[in-house]
């Protein structure tokens, strides 16, 4: 069976257990290349295209459109043309989907906590043990699940680390301070605590400003900067979003604000709203977000602009979405002259989710050169 | 940090966190400390099913074992609430409410109204509801409709450990009397629950499954029976939406109408007896306010109009099951999608 390569249901994020195949994007007989989108999958959180992790000739579609299948279930089979149909049928018949118990073990070890300056921080670490790691820093009100389409794709070639910033996700509801500088100093201390001397930083929104500030404070700790829909590159910000997100108390109030994050607002499903509400309903979160939001983004102005101050000490990749309704995409005109800039015409503020495959390719290219 | 715990542990954690955060929170009930006067550990028992186990060791005399007189200690809890405490009284089996009707229905529920809004009664009466525990007719009822009928009382009946913890903390912080109904057959049910404090507002229903063909509106243990039914129906191509009411008073009428307007079909599933039940209440609201959205007759799946039988075989037949729900959905949809 050495010549048969399975295509299986991917696992996007820690909580994904099953997904629905919405549609195949390729036909049987297609020569598939690595990274080619081959089918659309929808989970209770979000929909996305599955990219081929391996190359091969598509011989059989096992999953049909509309089918709900567990993670790692067989979706299709690739094999060279000299493999017979009978051999493929035999492979399909004998395929056993790995049980979810295996994942259970993985999940426990994937979620780690560490005390940094008296604040308990959740983070995940995946991928290779060696090499310069990629560190993901999410935005205001976000958590490491904002990277669910990015972490595993980049973990193939690099060690990847993603954290929940203080007061966010499953980290302690406590802030080290209310400025980008305070957060940047904290992330530096986090890197020290987990023995990371140097990393490629990937920052989204507020996390982009934090990443840039880290580069300004401690240049040697940063290999490259990868900033997505980043804050800190211009003055304006939609503070009615940051305030509305922080103060919404119900699904009905919150959903319209989450819809502002995407070019395609239909991506905001019930599960996404429920997950954000679960976080926001923890004691202390609402006040923390209101305070942080008004300190950083009060009255529609960003308090710090670290991305503008970056010098050519670091390679910089700046990615924006033209339909971003939170931070104006026009800010990319302020990008440092040596930065590589990519703007996606049909993506909103969550470009790393809406254009996951393209963003992953850009980051891989940028950190590998 | 979220980890899996049982509904029983979720109740214990909610009580523990609120007692730690607010010195006015006290607990009282029959045997909730449980070992007092006996040899050995003083809170060895922690209530009839061990829900409050360990709390006495931490919070001492803010937990009180009461005499076996529900009338007396429910009245005491209500009086303490009027005097600035936030008591949580455990009624063990909520079937025992009968001897507390004046205290609950005529006093606690009326104080705010009778005193022009100046009196608050932040009391929680919590206890077990529901059948399936082989505890016979006097310890197995689903009396939620009875409590829901009384203006001035709030009524909660959660289906998961996550909801239980958030709703119980909210109930303790609420300034009105809350009857908190815990299904005894869900005590061992596990789910992901954050370690810290959080709240879920009273009066917010929760969609637990999305579907387009038929709405099931339910609460408590019946949420799980409905999910079983949904899995069976999905194999036949029928996608049901399940709305877990979570709070029966106040009732999330908006969410009820919204799901029926989406699917055009309604099955109400209620473990209570059928007359004047939550199922009949929801049915009447939908018939009055969303009649035009309905594409077929409303169906109800409830317990029969009998006491809960002690015979295990009969008791199992008494409790609404997935097969009955599947049949009701098929009646509601008339085989059409």
């Amino acid at each position: 069976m050495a010549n048969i390569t399975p295509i299986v249901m991917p696992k996007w994020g820690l909580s994904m257990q099953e997904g629905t195949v919405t549609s195949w994007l390729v036909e049987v007989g297609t020569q598939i290349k690595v990274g080619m989108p081959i089918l659309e999958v929808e989970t209770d959180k979000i929909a996305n295209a599955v990219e081929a992790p391996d190359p091969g000739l598509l011989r059989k579609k096992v999953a049909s459109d509309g089918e709900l299948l567990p993670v790692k279930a067989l979706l299709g089979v690739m094999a060279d043309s000299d493999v017979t149909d009978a051999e493929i049928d035999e492979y399909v018949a004998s395929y056993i989907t790995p049980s979810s118990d295996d994942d259970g073990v993985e999940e426990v070890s994937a979620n780690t906590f560490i005390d940094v300056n008296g604040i308990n921080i959740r983070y995940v670490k995946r991928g290779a043990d060696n090499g310069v790691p990629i560190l993901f820093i999410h935005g205001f009100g976000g958590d490491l699940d904002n990277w669910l389409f990015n972490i595993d794709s980049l973990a193939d070639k690099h060690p990847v680390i993603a954290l929940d910033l203080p007061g966010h996700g499953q980290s302690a509801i406590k802030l080290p301070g209310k400025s980008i500088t305070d957060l940047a100093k904290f992330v530096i201390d986090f890197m020290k605590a987990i023995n990371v001397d140097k990393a490629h930083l990937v920052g989204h929104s507020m996390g982009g400003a934090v990443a840039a500030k880290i580069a300004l404070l401690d240049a040697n700790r940063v290999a490259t900067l990868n900033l997505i829909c980043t804050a800190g590159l211009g003055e304006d910000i939609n503070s009615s979003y940051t305030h509305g997100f922080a103060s919404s108390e119900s699904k009905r109030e919150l959903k319209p604000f989450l819809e502002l994050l995407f070019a395609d607002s239909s991506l905001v499903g019930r599960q996404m709203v429920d997950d954000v509400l679960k976080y926001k309903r923890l004691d202390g979160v609402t006040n923390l977000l209101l305070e942080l939001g008004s300190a950083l983004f009060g009255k529609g102005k960003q308090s710090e602009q670290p991305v503008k101050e970056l010098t050519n000490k670091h390679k910089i990749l700046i990615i924006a979405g033209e339909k971003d309704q939170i931070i104006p995409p026009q800010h990319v005109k302020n990008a440092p002259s040596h930065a590589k800039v990519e703007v996606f015409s049909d993506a909103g503020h969550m470009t790393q989710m809406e254009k996951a495959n393209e963003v992953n390719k850009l980051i891989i290219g940028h950190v590998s050169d | 940090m979220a980890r899996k715990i049982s509904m029983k542990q979720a109740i214990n954690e909610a009580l523990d966190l609120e007692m730690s955060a607010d010195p006015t929170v006290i607990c009282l009930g029959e045997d909730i400390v449980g070992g007092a006067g006996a040899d050995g550990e003083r809170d060895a028992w922690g209530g009839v099913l061990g829900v409050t186990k360990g709390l006495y060791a931490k919070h001492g005399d803010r937990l009180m074992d009461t005499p076996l007189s529900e009338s007396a200690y429910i009245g005491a809890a209500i009086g303490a609430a009027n005097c600035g405490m936030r008591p949580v009284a455990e009624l063990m089996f909520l079937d025992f409410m009968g001897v507390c009707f004046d205290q609950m229905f005529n006093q606690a529920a009326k104080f705010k109204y009778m005193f022009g809004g100046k009196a608050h009664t932040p009391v929680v009466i919590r206890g077990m509801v529901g059948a399936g525990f082989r505890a016979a007719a006097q310890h197995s009822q689903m009396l939620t409709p009875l409590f829901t009928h009384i203006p001035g009382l709030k009524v909660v009946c959660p289906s998961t450990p996550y909801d239980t913890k958030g709703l119980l903390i909210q109930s303790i912080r609420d300034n009105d009397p809350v009857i908190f109904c815990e299904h005894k057959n869900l005590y061992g049910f596990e789910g992901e629950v954050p370690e810290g404090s959080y709240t879920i507002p009273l009066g917010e229903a929760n969609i637990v499954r999305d579907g387009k063909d038929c709405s099931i509106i339910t609460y408590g243990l019946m949420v799980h029976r409905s999910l079983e039914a949904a899995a069976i129906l999905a194999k036949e191509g029928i996608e049901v939406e399940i709305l877990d009411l979570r709070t029966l008073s106040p009732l999330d009428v908006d969410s009820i109408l919204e799901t029926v307007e989406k699917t055009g079909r309604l099955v109400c599933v209620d473990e209570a007896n059928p007359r004047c039940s939550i199922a009949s209440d929801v049915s009447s609201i939908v018939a009055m306010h969303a009649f035009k959205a309905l594409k077929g007759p409303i169906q109800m799946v409830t317990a029969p109009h009998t006491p809960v039988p002690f015979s295990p075989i009969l008791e199992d037949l008494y409790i609404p099951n997935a097969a009955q729900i599947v049949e009701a959905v098929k009646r509601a949809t008339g085989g059409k999608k």
Side-chain angles (χ1 to χ4, degrees):
Chain A
M1 297 291 185
N3 299 324
I4 296 182
T5 310
I7 300 169
V8 301
M9 180 64 76
K11 187 170 171 68
W12 291 325
L14 293 177
S15 63
M16 177 171 168
Q17 288 175 347
E18 55 188 21
T20 303
V21 175
T22 343
S23 61
W24 279 89
L25 303 173
V26 290
E27 293 306 319
V28 169
T30 307
Q31 192 65 47
I32 288 168
K33 298 188 190 86
V34 174
M36 186 188 265
I38 44 181
L39 72 172
E40 290 271 357
V41 164
E42 191 178 307
T43 72
D44 51 10
K45 282 195 172 47
I46 200 161
N48 196 18
V50 176
E51 282 197 340
D54 309 290
L57 178 68
L58 183 64
R59 294 288 300 275
K60 191 179 176 74
K61 296 178 181 178
V62 178
S64 43
D65 291 358
E67 206 172 342
L68 179 69
L69 292 164
V71 166
K72 291 181 187 167
L74 190 63
L75 304 179
V77 176
M78 296 187 294
D80 294 340
S81 49
D82 56 353
V83 178
T84 67
D85 287 350
E87 283 176 301
I88 287 174
D89 289 344
E90 194 195 329
Y91 180 87
V92 172
S94 63
Y95 183 88
I96 297 163
T97 304
S99 79
S100 56
D101 290 353
D102 302 344
D103 285 356
V105 178
E106 192 184 303
E107 277 172 32
V108 172
S109 61
N111 239 338
T112 324
F113 287 80
I114 188 166
D115 188 284
V116 181
N117 304 339
I119 301 178
N120 203 31
I121 292 295
R122 174 177 74 141
Y123 69 102
V124 297
K125 194 165 189 276
R126 300 276 183 83
D129 288 332
N130 298 315
V132 178
I134 301 176
L135 173 63
F136 290 91
I137 307 169
H138 63 76
F140 176 79
D143 63 26
L144 57 83
D145 273 340
N146 293 163
W147 306 107
L148 84 165
F149 296 133
N150 314 101
I151 289 179
D152 288 319
S153 300
L154 300 181
D156 284 349
K157 296 187 180 70
H158 297 267
V160 294
I161 301 161
L163 83 159
D164 286 345
L165 288 170
H168 287 74
Q170 292 185 31
S171 291
I173 311 303
K174 198 173 165 185
L175 288 173
K178 286 177 222 159
S179 68
I180 296 290
T181 308
D182 293 330
L183 290 172
K185 284 179 179 162
F186 184 88
V187 175
I188 291 172
D189 289 341
F190 165 76
M191 291 171 76
K192 287 178 186 162
I194 59 166
N195 298 316
V196 171
D197 299 329
K198 192 172 204 172
H200 300 283
L201 301 185
V202 182
H204 174 240
S205 192
M206 177 187 83
V210 172
K213 192 73 198 182
I214 293 170
L216 294 171
L217 290 171
D218 193 351
N220 293 331
R221 206 164 272 284
V222 179
T224 65
L225 285 165
N226 306 263
L227 311 176
I228 302 164
C229 302
T230 191
L233 189 54
E235 263 208 329
D236 299 334
I237 186 159
N238 181 352
S239 55
S240 68
Y241 164 79
T242 50
H243 186 267
F245 174 89
S247 58
S248 298
E249 286 176 358
S250 68
K251 293 178 202 188
R252 274 188 193 80
E253 287 174 59
L254 180 62
K255 197 168 181 230
F257 289 107
L258 295 183
E259 285 173 347
L260 289 177
L261 292 169
F262 296 87
D264 175 5
S265 62
S266 71
L267 289 173
V268 179
R270 170 177 62 80
Q271 195 65 44
M272 189 187 292
V273 181
D274 285 354
D275 287 350
V276 174
L277 262 190
K278 275 188 182 178
Y279 156 67
K280 281 177 45 62
R281 284 179 171 171
L282 295 169
D283 275 6
V285 166
T286 299
N287 280 341
L288 180 144
L289 289 178
L290 285 171
E291 285 179 17
L292 183 64
S294 64
L296 296 180
F297 313 123
K299 299 193 174 103
K301 298 291 170 207
Q302 300 185 37
S303 60
E304 290 173 71
Q305 318 273 309
V307 184
K308 281 185 182 171
E309 299 165 32
L310 290 169
T311 63
N312 58 4
K313 261 188 201 150
H314 298 101
K315 274 179 61 190
I316 305 169
L317 170 66
I318 290 180
I319 297 172
E322 211 166 285
K323 300 207 170 122
D324 192 331
Q325 297 172 73
I326 313 300
I327 293 175
Q330 295 77 13
H331 284 184
V332 297
K333 70 178 191 301
N334 303 331
S337 56
H338 71 292
K340 179 179 177 185
V341 176
E342 290 281 345
V343 181
F344 290 100
S345 61
D346 52 349
H349 192 60
M350 302 303 277
T351 297
Q352 83 277 25
M353 291 180 114
E354 284 187 284
K355 293 282 150 205
N357 298 326
E358 291 85 345
V359 167
N360 292 342
K361 263 176 228 155
L362 285 169
I363 295 173
I364 287 171
H366 191 243
V367 301
S368 319
D369 290 350
Chain B
M1 195 194 312
R3 73 265 110 95
K4 279 194 174 175
I5 60 170
S6 68
M7 186 184 269
K8 199 156 80 174
Q9 288 168 292
I11 298 165
N12 185 291
E13 240 176 54
L15 293 171
D16 187 15
L17 285 165
E18 284 309 282
M19 290 188 90
S20 302
D22 181 351
T24 68
V25 177
I26 55 170
C27 291
L28 60 173
E30 293 165 0
D31 289 336
I32 61 161
V33 174
D39 292 336
E41 199 186 343
R42 282 195 72 193
D43 62 346
W45 201 244
V48 64
L49 290 180
V51 171
T52 46
K53 195 170 171 55
L55 295 182
Y56 183 80
K58 239 173 138 173
H59 304 286
D61 289 338
R62 286 165 62 199
L63 283 90
M64 186 203 280
D65 271 346
T66 63
L68 303 187
S69 170
E70 290 83 8
S71 323
Y73 78 84
I74 294 299
I78 292 165
N82 292 135
C83 297
M85 306 302 281
R86 289 190 180 272
V88 181
E90 180 182 300
L91 198 45
M92 199 180 295
F93 295 96
L94 282 178
D95 309 68
F96 304 161
M97 189 65 91
V99 294
C100 315
F101 268 22
D102 185 66
Q103 289 84 335
M104 279 311 297
F105 293 177
N106 225 10
Q107 307 304 330
K110 307 286 191 288
F111 283 144
K112 193 188 222 175
Y113 184 76
M114 297 301 286
F115 294 107
K118 288 177 189 161
H120 297 294
T121 313
V123 67
V124 177
I125 314 290
R126 47 163 291 268
M128 288 182 274
V129 292
F133 201 61
R134 311 297 185 230
Q138 294 151 319
H139 306 85
S140 303
Q141 298 166 87
M142 181 58 82
L143 295 176
T144 41
L146 220 56
F147 311 142
T148 302
H149 186 72
I150 305 295
L153 294 182
K154 290 179 177 171
V155 184
V156 179
C157 188
S159 67
T160 65
Y162 174 83
D163 286 353
T164 300
K165 182 171 167 184
L167 287 165
L168 183 51
I169 291 176
Q170 180 60 43
S171 298
I172 295 169
R173 294 179 188 178
D174 198 281
N175 276 339
D176 292 319
V178 178
I179 303 197
F180 199 88
C181 307
E182 302 159 6
H183 202 293
K184 44 180 102 61
N185 278 8
L186 286 173
Y187 268 176
F189 181 77
E190 293 195 341
E192 277 199 4
V193 177
E195 280 181 14
S197 290
Y198 61 91
T199 54
I200 297 171
L202 304 186
E204 186 192 84
N206 185 33
I207 302 250
V208 293
R209 188 186 194 282
D210 300 294
K212 60 177 182 6
D213 299 323
C214 180
S215 300
I216 296 178
I217 300 184
T218 185
Y219 64 95
L221 177 69
M222 290 299 114
V223 170
H224 302 279
R225 296 285 158 90
S226 301
L227 283 166
E228 275 175 54
I232 297 167
L233 288 159
K235 288 187 183 139
E236 300 177 27
I238 299 172
E239 294 297 338
V240 297
E241 182 151 292
I242 301 175
L243 184 70
D244 177 358
L245 293 170
R246 302 201 286 203
T247 306
L248 305 170
S249 188
L251 186 68
D252 187 351
V253 175
D254 287 347
S255 292
I256 291 171
L257 298 178
E258 222 167 74
T259 179
V260 175
E261 278 159 8
K262 175 181 168 188
T263 67
R265 295 185 167 96
L266 173 61
V267 174
C268 295
V269 183
D270 189 356
E271 194 187 318
N273 303 110
R275 301 284 315 282
C276 307
S277 61
I278 304 301
S280 63
D281 184 30
V282 170
S283 300
S284 74
I285 288 168
V286 169
M288 275 178 71
H289 300 291
F291 189 72
K292 281 184 182 163
L294 287 170
K295 296 180 212 158
I298 298 169
Q299 301 293 326
M300 298 203 296
V301 181
T302 67
H305 191 65
T306 70
V308 181
F310 185 48
S311 147
I313 296 165
L314 291 178
E315 186 179 22
D316 290 345
L317 286 170
Y318 172 95
I319 307 165
N321 60 38
Q324 287 169 291
I325 299 168
V326 167
E327 284 312 307
V329 169
K330 287 183 178 171
R331 284 199 303 277
T333 56
K336 292 185 285 285
K337 283 186 226 164

